[in-house]
Structures are given as C-alpha cells and as structure tokens.
Amino acid sequence: MKKIFFSLLIVGMLATLFTSTVLAGYTISATLYAGQNEVAGFVKIWNVGDNLYVQIQMKSGAGWCLNESQVHVATSLGDIPQNKNGNPKPGQFDYKGSNGCSNGHT
C-alpha cells in the first residue's frame, strides 16, 4: 500500500470566507492528487459555528493510505510558514495528526 503525506494549505480568501457567517453550512470539496496527476482521494472543508473542519478521504481501491496530515489556516499568504523561496513549510503547520496509514481523517 502506498502511503501519502498530506499537507493542506488553506490561505487567503478561503480562510477569510470560512470565518464569515455568509458561508455557514456550505462545504468545499477538492480532489487530492498524489504525485503529479494520480487521484488519491478527496478533501472536504466546512465550518460549524466557530469550528473549521477538514476531512481527508482516500479513494477506495486506489492503493493509497493517509499516514500523516498537516493543516495551517491563515487569513493571508504571508501568515503561512514558508521557506526563503516562498514554498510552504509543512513541518511548521499548526495542526498535525498521525493517522497510521488510514483511509481517512477529519
């Protein structure tokens, strides 16, 4: 079974929109890619009150599992931990979880 390390970067407008009561009750979904173009699963993001939820679900039968997840939420790109080239630094993200090669995590 292939393992995937997942880092979800929620930046700028997305994080700002979720703090707005206008989007209360809405869910945003996205495809999770492994490598360059292989669909490995799906990500859903929603809020309930002041809580933001991120669910990662691996595609069944694709041979992938979720080993570790890291999420960072910010209202601007500058608030995301970055290296000197401006790339995200997942090891510095605020929320981390070890998933033990599971099929999903919320």
Side-chain angles (χ1 to χ4, degrees):
M1 177 155 302
K2 300 175 266 187
K3 295 181 182 180
I4 188 168
F5 166 80
F6 174 74
S7 297
L8 178 63
L9 185 60
I10 305 171
V11 296
M13 193 165 78
L14 180 60
T16 303
L17 289 174
F18 269 114
T19 61
S20 168
T21 57
V22 174
L23 288 182
Y26 285 88
T27 299
I28 294 177
S29 299
T31 302
L32 175 63
Y33 290 97
Q36 294 203 357
N37 57 9
E38 184 176 346
V39 175
F42 305 92
V43 179
K44 292 182 181 179
I45 305 166
W46 71 97
N47 72 313
V48 176
D50 290 338
N51 296 311
L52 181 67
Y53 295 91
V54 178
Q55 180 181 55
I56 306 156
Q57 185 64 47
M58 305 312 293
K59 183 178 172 187
S60 62
W64 291 96
C65 70
L66 185 65
N67 190 42
E68 182 178 335
S69 57
Q70 296 188 26
V71 175
H72 193 90
V73 180
T75 56
S76 72
L77 184 58
D79 292 335
I80 300 293
Q82 301 173 29
N83 64 21
K84 63 182 178 180
N85 295 326
N87 294 318
K89 290 173 67 175
Q92 304 298 314
F93 287 4
D94 287 341
Y95 303 96
K96 302 170 187 169
S98 177
N99 307 308
C101 206
S102 68
N103 289 328
H105 185 75
T106 301

